[in-house]
Amino acid sequence: MTYARPVRLAALAATLTLGCAALAAAPATAVTGPAVAAADTTYAYTAQITVGDHDRGCSGVLVDREWLLTAASCFAADPAAGLNVPAGKPATKTTAVIGRSDLTGTAGAAREIVQLVPRTDRDAVLARLNRPVTNVSPVALATTAPTAGESLTLAGYGRTATEWAPLSLHTGTFTVDSATATNASVTGTSGTAACMGDTGGPLIRVSGGTAQLAALASQSYQGGCYGIDTTVTSTGGITTRVDDLATWVTATTGTIRATDFNCDGVQDIAISDPRATVGGDAKAGLVRVVYGGGKGTAEINQDLDWVNGSSEADDRFGESLATVDYDEDGCTDLVVGAPGEGLGTATDAGMVDVLHGATGGLGTGTVKDTNYQQGAGNGSLGASSAETGDRFGASLAADVTRSGEPFLLIGSPGEDLSGFADAGMAVYVHGTTNATIHQDSLDVPGSAEAGDGFGGAVAADSNHLVIAAPDETIGTDADAGNLAGFDPNTLNSENRPTPRFGLDQDLDTVSGGAEAGDGFGTSVALVPYRPSGAAAATESILAVGSPGEALTIDGASKAETGNVLTFRITAAGAYTQLNAYQPGTADDDVVGSSEAGDHFGQTLTAVNTAPRAVSTTATMKLAVGIPDEAVGTTASAGAISTFSLLGAPGTNDRWLEAGDGDGIPGTPGTNHKLGSSLHYTGTSLYVGLPYGPSAYGTLHALPLSNVTAGGTVAAVTTYQPGAGGLPAAGDTFGYAAR
């Protein structure tokens, strides 16, 4: 079928049509030019896109290992009426095949398109894939406009002159006639035309032997295409310019994925209150969700019929949170730990729920909740048993491997092992299986001992996992702490992530010395790192908090003042210490001064705001919580110190306290413990105040400029029970946020 031409192309003849194919049974596949041989990978970056059950077919092009660039008209409800495409998950399930010239073969990759980011000024949309494509190289965008007279090659999977649905990629040559700010008109040579199904296909310029994406197929007269009236002979058409889209493409593909539970392209936020009373049960816990774009709020607790278990006193549902698109459907899933959950007769055994996102919000899809607990399911969890005090879910981390496989890392610091009480473990969950990790596992540094608390803190990125044992005894120093690092991209003979390194303060390569009560590893944070000259961010920077560290400041010992150490971790697991962070003295270049009992480093959060780009001091951010900082004479008012993970600490630091003008309102209050709840996203630092001044708790979202050295102060978003649609109830709202 053909579509009526859009008004914006009124100057063209009425036979000019959009090239996306609406199909009755099979996907459309190719340009009326010659077929590309199965072994020819010249145009491997070209994608065949199928919308729905072969309802519509288009072409596209891989411009990033996770993103296609294609035509918005491929996804518009009625392309003839307009090219408005809602951001977020496609309305209909959409698949893409990349790098497969012969569609009957297995080359390249097959993926699902799970997110759309449309342009509003032209027929173009970026489409995110559920997993990266690792065996096909993306094509680079051209940097200059198509010029009259130049030849471009179109590759596509649309109809040919004789086939409705050919099974091969086809190519054809087009001559540029003229260009406007967003489009270029072209004419096919030697009878070549763009047909239905070619919409979104790449028009390639070769410069210096390198392919460049100059334009996308948009509209065509379709002269000679199968099913077009034989009286139509024109091979002219309109293409969409892309040479000026590099900044937009880079900004979109290189950003951190936002939390988006209802997959509408707008950021959402989940805020926990693990001590909230639910149905009369004190400290049962709940999570409140605020959907972005004014789409309302929701309360999630264990008394909902779609959430596993039931609310009981001291469950502490929401004590830990993590987010990841675990089912790879384009909607963020919320991971919630309830370490106080009782299982059978085992109190504080703990469990974890993955609450699945959907277009209607959390819990509205077909699969609503995937529950993890010891003694249930398969893998190591199914073979284990829940015991009193395990505190499974006390810590959580989630991410995806370099190949895009989602995973969870669940800490259970109270797990008894080999007769050792509270030795601790963690569970690595991926796909449909899981494996425990503990200090008696193959090649894991250290050994399981009573009271280690292995799994007390965990962190993860695509390159590494870290599991800390902050109560580990080093030598004779109790609670000195240590940690182990793993590679989630390589499973060992026990089907566990491969151990790569161990850290403690008695190593010559780590500053300081292990001392009783240091709590090295009480908090940990990992972010991907791309050094200059590297092709990708396959390294990590690790931050480790030791809130019990004693420091000698101006000749005086400051007990439990705390510090943070950072390390560069290579892809192979080799580490190098980078910096040591602490407030120091009133006279040095780091704001603040170290005082006994501050507990600097009790909490940590870090972010790489541009993980695809070479890392810089501006993109690598660290925030350190100092919850027991006294402000003036106000005990445990708390404070936050922010730094860059690169460069000298004192050159890139900023001090935050209540009422100091950076966006945290009010005045410092006794035991408010500012800094006890921190979380970075790509746009904000979320700061929770679960202990006051509000009786319910509060969460502030501070723009990154507010927490960056030299940055300007912008408006802060505040979430608080009793405002913005949140009920006026709670106890420790803001305890955690994701």
Side-chain angles (χ1 to χ4, degrees):
M1 64 177 288
T2 59
Y3 296 111
R5 57 188 172 85
V7 174
R8 64 188 177 88
L9 296 174
L12 300 178
T15 52
L16 185 66
T17 59
L18 287 159
C20 67
L23 309 174
T29 46
V31 178
T32 56
V36 175
D40 187 346
T41 60
T42 304
Y43 303 97
Y45 40 72
T46 308
Q48 183 210 34
I49 298 172
T50 304
V51 179
D53 187 17
H54 305 303
D55 300 324
R56 184 181 291 180
C58 296
S59 300
V61 56
L62 191 72
V63 294
D64 175 89
R65 66 192 197 112
E66 287 187 81
W67 293 83
L68 301 177
L69 186 58
T70 184
S73 51
C74 187
F75 298 94
D78 182 0
L83 300 181
N84 180 47
V85 175
K89 187 175 181 177
T92 304
K93 183 177 180 178
T94 304
T95 57
V97 175
I98 306 100
R100 193 172 297 173
S101 299
D102 178 359
L103 293 173
T104 66
T106 59
R111 297 288 187 264
E112 182 179 348
I113 292 175
V114 295
Q115 181 186 0
L116 302 176
V117 181
R119 292 285 298 192
T120 57
D121 62 341
R122 66 193 76 185
D123 188 12
V125 64
L126 277 164
R128 182 169 65 84
L129 306 173
N130 67 309
R131 285 198 185 186
V133 176
T134 58
N135 56 355
V136 177
S137 297
V139 67
L141 271 63
T143 57
T144 57
T147 58
E150 83 166 302
S151 293
L152 303 175
T153 300
L154 170 64
Y157 288 94
R159 303 178 191 177
T160 65
T162 59
E163 296 175 287
W164 177 282
L167 295 174
S168 296
L169 176 69
H170 285 64
T171 61
T173 302
F174 289 76
T175 300
V176 177
D177 301 321
S178 62
T180 68
T182 57
N183 299 318
S185 60
V186 297
T187 300
T189 63
S190 303
T192 296
C195 301
M196 287 187 178
D198 290 326
T199 291
L203 282 96
I204 299 299
R205 169 194 294 151
V206 177
S207 177
T210 301
Q212 300 175 351
L213 178 63
L216 301 173
S218 178
Q219 299 185 341
S220 171
Y221 285 103
Q222 302 188 78
C225 296
Y226 185 88
I228 298 299
D229 194 296
T230 56
T231 61
V232 178
T233 59
S234 174
T235 60
I238 295 293
T239 66
T240 300
R241 281 181 52 185
V242 300
D243 55 278
D244 59 337
L245 298 184
T247 299
W248 173 66
V249 170
T250 299
T252 303
T253 61
T255 193
I256 297 173
R257 197 173 301 173
T259 295
D260 186 7
F261 301 123
N262 57 358
C263 32
D264 63 353
V266 182
Q267 182 165 293
D268 306 320
I269 181 71
I271 309 160
S272 78
D273 187 344
R275 296 184 185 179
T277 298
V278 178
D281 294 314
K283 300 181 182 179
L286 57 80
V287 176
R288 300 198 187 279
V289 178
V290 180
Y291 293 105
K295 293 189 176 179
T297 65
E299 178 182 318
I300 300 173
N301 61 58
Q302 290 179 293
D303 278 349
L304 297 177
D305 58 8
W306 60 273
V307 179
N308 190 277
S310 60
S311 293
E312 299 163 321
D314 295 313
D315 281 348
R316 300 192 299 283
F317 181 80
E319 186 163 304
S320 58
L321 297 178
T323 54
V324 68
D325 183 5
Y326 195 77
D327 51 18
E328 301 180 73
D329 66 349
C331 307
T332 304
D333 304 320
L334 177 65
V335 190
V336 183
E341 180 74 25
L343 298 174
T345 59
T347 59
D348 294 334
M351 70 181 188
V352 169
D353 290 277
V354 177
L355 309 178
H356 293 271
T359 53
L362 290 167
T364 64
T366 302
V367 179
K368 304 177 187 302
D369 179 4
T370 301
N371 178 260
Y372 296 100
Q373 56 182 271
Q374 294 191 74
N378 63 356
S380 297
L381 285 176
S384 63
S385 59
E387 300 165 323
T388 294
D390 283 346
R391 301 192 67 243
F392 180 79
S395 60
L396 288 174
D399 213 302
V400 298
T401 64
R402 291 191 203 117
S403 65
E405 181 185 31
F407 64 82
L408 312 178
L409 187 61
I410 304 171
S412 183
E415 179 73 18
D416 297 345
L417 291 171
S418 304
F420 296 113
D422 301 335
M425 71 171 187
V427 181
Y428 180 70
V429 182
H430 64 112
T432 58
T433 191
N434 58 83
T436 57
I437 306 170
H438 49 76
Q439 289 179 296
D440 282 346
S441 302
L442 179 66
D443 295 331
V444 175
S447 59
E449 299 165 320
D452 284 346
F454 186 77
V458 296
D461 64 13
S462 293
N463 304 316
H464 300 97
L465 313 175
V466 166
I467 305 172
D471 299 323
E472 175 84 18
T473 296
I474 305 296
T476 59
D477 295 312
D479 302 330
N482 72 354
L483 60 83
F486 304 81
D487 180 359
N489 301 285
T490 306
L491 301 185
N492 64 14
S493 60
E494 296 182 338
N495 288 319
R496 297 180 170 102
T498 302
R500 294 298 189 197
F501 62 92
L503 293 177
D504 66 67
Q505 289 184 288
D506 264 1
L507 296 172
D508 292 339
T509 49
V510 179
S511 64
E515 299 164 323
D518 280 348
F520 181 80
T522 295
S523 57
V524 287
L526 267 174
V527 293
Y529 172 57
R530 179 183 171 185
S532 178
T538 58
E539 299 189 17
S540 301
I541 290 184
L542 166 65
V544 184
S546 301
E549 181 79 22
L551 297 176
T552 299
I553 305 296
D554 289 338
S557 178
K558 306 290 185 178
E560 298 187 35
T561 185
N563 76 346
V564 173
L565 305 181
T566 56
F567 302 85
R568 174 181 174 179
I569 315 294
T570 69
Y575 67 86
T576 305
Q577 184 173 324
L578 295 177
N579 280 314
Y581 299 81
Q582 64 265 336
T585 72
D587 299 323
D588 63 18
D589 60 353
V590 175
V591 178
S593 58
S594 295
E595 299 163 327
D598 281 348
H599 297 130
F600 180 93
Q602 183 72 40
T603 57
L604 291 176
T605 183
V607 69
N608 180 347
T609 60
R612 301 291 180 85
V614 171
S615 301
T616 67
T617 55
T619 62
M620 303 290 285
K621 297 180 181 296
L622 172 68
V624 181
I626 323 169
D628 289 309
E629 173 76 20
V631 178
T633 59
T634 306
S636 295
I640 300 163
S641 196
T642 67
F643 303 90
S644 172
L645 285 165
L646 302 176
T651 307
N652 301 283
D653 69 324
R654 189 160 182 167
W655 182 268
L656 306 173
E657 61 184 54
D660 67 355
D662 292 319
I664 302 171
T667 58
T670 301
N671 292 323
H672 285 179
K673 294 184 179 292
L674 175 65
S676 61
S677 171
L678 298 173
H679 178 64
Y680 263 128
T681 69
T683 58
S684 302
L685 174 64
Y686 285 93
V687 176
L689 280 162
Y691 307 117
S694 166
Y696 307 126
T698 308
L699 179 76
H700 301 293
L702 279 61
L704 295 185
S705 60
N706 294 37
V707 299
T708 302
T712 57
V713 176
V716 171
T717 302
T718 296
Y719 304 90
Q720 186 170 296
L726 295 168
D731 189 277
T732 51
F733 178 87
Y735 187 92
R738 293 292 185 272

